[in-house]
Amino acid sequence: ISGKVVKDERQIGGYELQATQVSIISIAEEYPISKKEHGVDFLMDKRHLWLRSQRQWAILRIRNAMIFAIHRFFQQEGFVQADAPIFTGNAVEGTSTLFETDFYGKPAYLSQSGQLYGEAMAMALGKIYTFGPTFRAEKSKTRRHLSEFWMIEPEMAFFDLDMNMDLIEAMLKFVIKALLAECSNEFKMIGRDTTILENLVDKKFPRLTYDEAVRIIKGEQDVNGKNAIISLEEELKLVQEKKAAIKVEITDREQKLTVPGMKKGEIAFNQTKIDNLKNELKDLEEDERNIPQWINSAKTFEYGNDLGGSDETVITRLFDVPILVYNWPHAVKAFYLKRDEDPRWAKGVDVLAPEGYGEIVGGGERETDIGLLTEKIIEHKLPMQAFEWYLDLRRFGSVPHSGFGLGLERLIAWVCKLPHVRETIPFPRMYGRLEP
Ligand code: 4AD
Ligand code: MG
């Protein structure tokens, strides 16, 4: 379509095209994606075409802006981007989620994390970051897990846990500010209310110890006057009331449609209303199923365990800024984390995104004591041989250092407030999904 491009603030995108001529470039068959509601599985099967929809277009533009902002942040901070290999001989984050491949007759694994290589590069270059694909065989269908995702892993020499947390907070604020400045149209298109994002850039992100986080989850400690368990119970009631009201409205409108003589436009209007109400009902029904599970898992949480998805949801629904949870029981965290002066804790940090989203960053200060590291490798039943090169990094001189891993798709999902990570990446790979 050619014509005159006219600036018009009222239009999405700020412009409109006053057409003078239309010419056909290619004749298409009937398009499989129509305006009617499609199931997610259908749309995922047609992902190669679904990408042309406005909403997907907007999300991928936000992804692009985010990637560029992350690079800008680290480059401005004097980091060197350095790549870790994808074929690896060893696990980083435990052996249960490795994808095995054949490397000239020898088993090799697709990288779960570039961190160990990042540590080697930081000892050479000071401050580095990797930005690459990461693979985890996650045999479960959750809204947060992909089998192939992109991770940004900075690693900094002479950084302790506090400096690491300062850096994470600065990075997240930088990226969100950039997105707010560059992607306001895209946020509008996907219906993301950005108030929370606008407000959080000037707020300090709370830092909670694991102990405090557990007390909050179990309802033993309130946050800003809110109690985790009580507010979930109240929300469940609200969901049930809303559900009942919507059911009444659907019946009402369906009743109206049976009365003869209704105008065509009115029928269509009512039909669309009913479809939308039914969708809302589905969401409410999902909440009605989820909330009791969250309550139950919060109440029965066993002190000393890692936080699960539900626990993260419970605590982060109470916040409107990301929270940093540190000082973890070292039994549940990775072998490479430095032990705290108080030997109960490991110097790890998880960043949990608000609004129920949960973990977006995992990191910490690294153990530099070769004796303690060796103990941990044995305790985690990891093959010592594969870690000899990593131990060399301590054997031949090491300095205090820290780093973290940011899950790109997790950050996009939260910033865009998407119900699932599958729409954050052009072609998602996850349990049960290898095509298109
Ligand atoms: O917490 P994780 O497992 O930490 C590491 O891999 C460290 N080696 C990072 C480091 O310190 N250099 O993973 C880091 C982040 C998570 O917080 C999450 O955002 C994301 O990676 N992530 C996933 N994203 C999508 N799908 C999955 N299956 C993910 N697993 C982890
Ligand atoms: Mg983690």
Side-chain angles (χ1 to χ4, degrees):
I1 301 174
S2 41
K4 195 170 158 198
V5 178
V6 181
K7 202 170 168 64
D8 182 352
E9 297 293 345
R10 290 164 309 173
Q11 304 298 331
I12 291 180
Y15 292 90
E16 68 174 25
L17 178 66
Q18 293 175 351
T20 51
Q21 195 198 329
V22 176
S23 57
I24 293 168
I25 295 175
S26 132
I27 298 280
E29 289 176 30
E30 194 180 338
Y31 205 60
I33 302 174
S34 62
K35 280 223 155 116
K36 77 173 177 59
E37 277 294 321
H38 290 290
V40 166
D41 280 333
F42 174 83
L43 290 169
M44 287 308 294
D45 287 341
K46 297 275 177 276
R47 183 67 177 162
H48 48 294
L49 299 175
W50 191 20
L51 293 181
R52 300 179 188 181
S53 310
Q54 196 176 58
R55 186 180 163 79
Q56 303 306 315
W57 178 93
I59 295 168
L60 291 185
R61 286 178 61 88
I62 292 170
R63 178 184 172 103
N64 170 65
M66 185 181 285
I67 291 171
F68 194 40
I70 291 169
H71 278 295
R72 273 206 311 281
F73 175 80
F74 285 113
Q75 294 292 331
Q76 282 172 18
E77 293 288 320
F79 281 66
V80 174
Q81 205 246 308
D83 300 307
I86 289 171
F87 282 124
T88 63
N90 49 266
V92 183
E93 298 298 326
T95 49
S96 64
T97 61
L98 288 171
F99 277 112
E100 195 176 318
T101 64
D102 180 321
F103 191 74
Y104 307 117
K106 265 176 63 176
Y109 308 101
L110 298 183
S111 177
Q112 275 173 330
S113 159
Q115 180 196 321
L116 305 188
Y117 300 96
E119 288 186 49
M121 296 187 285
M123 291 305 115
L125 293 155
K127 296 193 287 188
I128 66 97
Y129 68 107
T130 67
F131 199 134
T134 309
F135 305 88
R136 299 209 184 160
E138 308 272 9
K139 261 197 166 172
S140 60
K141 293 188 177 176
T142 78
R143 64 188 176 91
R144 319 166 194 230
H145 287 100
L146 291 165
S147 308
E148 178 179 311
F149 62 98
W150 288 71
M151 185 152 46
I152 296 90
E153 293 187 276
E155 195 67 35
M156 300 78 68
F158 300 109
F159 266 54
D160 63 14
L161 179 62
D162 286 327
M163 294 161 81
N164 199 12
M165 292 199 276
D166 291 342
L167 185 76
I168 297 171
E169 186 170 340
M171 175 203 65
L172 289 173
K173 286 178 176 171
F174 180 95
V175 171
I176 288 168
K177 264 188 210 161
L179 293 179
L180 289 170
E182 295 160 25
C183 298
S184 56
N185 275 322
E186 285 81 355
F187 283 127
K188 237 179 261 159
M189 280 179 188
I190 63 173
R192 169 56 152 154
D193 175 358
T194 53
T195 316
I196 274 200
L197 303 178
E198 282 151 30
N199 290 340
L200 67 79
V201 290
D202 298 319
K203 286 186 188 160
K204 176 107 185 99
F205 295 175
R207 296 180 188 183
L208 313 171
T209 61
Y210 169 84
D211 262 15
E212 285 174 284
V214 171
R215 281 202 297 275
I216 293 169
I217 289 167
K218 292 177 83 66
E220 296 164 6
Q221 184 179 318
D222 291 357
V223 177
N224 311 324
K226 280 188 284 187
N227 180 282
I229 307 279
I230 294 172
S231 54
L232 279 173
E233 284 165 350
E234 284 169 357
E235 190 158 342
L236 183 59
K237 247 191 237 149
L238 217 70
V239 164
Q240 284 160 342
E241 282 164 16
K242 262 195 220 160
K243 231 185 82 178
I246 286 182
K247 275 188 174 162
V248 170
E249 194 180 341
I250 291 175
T251 323
D252 263 12
R253 287 189 188 276
E254 279 173 343
Q255 196 67 46
K256 267 195 207 154
L257 283 176
T258 59
V259 179
M262 192 184 268
K263 284 201 191 100
K264 236 186 179 176
E266 221 178 319
I267 294 176
F269 175 80
N270 271 300
Q271 208 72 61
T272 317
K273 259 278 192 257
I274 290 170
D275 287 348
N276 290 342
L277 287 169
K278 282 186 177 165
N279 274 333
E280 239 177 279
L281 198 60
K282 260 193 230 151
D283 290 344
L284 289 170
E285 276 164 358
E286 196 177 328
D287 287 343
E288 199 183 19
R289 275 194 305 275
N290 283 333
I291 294 173
Q293 285 175 21
W294 294 336
I295 294 175
N296 185 47
S297 94
K299 278 184 174 165
T300 57
F301 183 86
E302 268 181 54
Y303 182 87
N305 282 353
D306 202 354
L307 301 189
S310 309
D311 311 312
E312 290 176 7
T313 303
V314 170
I315 188 166
T316 60
R317 285 164 70 94
L318 301 171
F319 288 90
D320 52 10
V321 289
I323 55 175
L324 292 88
V325 181
Y326 66 100
N327 271 10
W328 291 79
H330 58 78
V332 296
K333 285 287 175 193
F335 77 95
Y336 50 71
L337 284 179
K338 189 177 175 65
R339 229 168 274 197
D340 189 63
E341 291 71 38
D342 178 339
R344 280 177 299 171
W345 312 123
K347 293 194 178 215
V349 57
D350 275 6
V351 181
L352 311 181
E355 305 180 82
Y357 274 82
E359 184 184 342
I360 51 172
V361 171
E365 190 171 338
R366 317 309 187 190
E367 186 57 78
T368 46
D369 182 314
I370 192 168
L372 291 176
L373 257 182
T374 313
E375 255 176 48
K376 275 282 173 192
I377 291 173
I378 293 168
E379 198 184 301
H380 285 245
K381 298 196 172 69
L382 296 166
M384 191 64 73
Q385 180 56 37
F387 288 90
E388 283 303 332
W389 73 265
Y390 182 69
L391 294 173
D392 270 359
L393 301 177
R394 276 65 178 171
R395 244 175 230 130
F396 300 110
S398 184
V399 299
H401 60 289
S402 299
F404 64 87
L406 164 69
L408 182 70
E409 289 76 16
R410 295 266 185 100
L411 183 58
I412 301 169
W414 163 53
V415 165
C416 295
K417 210 170 178 187
L418 305 177
H420 196 291
V421 285
R422 67 188 150 218
E423 285 176 57
T424 61
I425 185 165
F427 294 97
R429 296 290 175 251
M430 52 201 181
Y431 189 51
R433 169 74 50 197
L434 185 60
E435 265 111 26

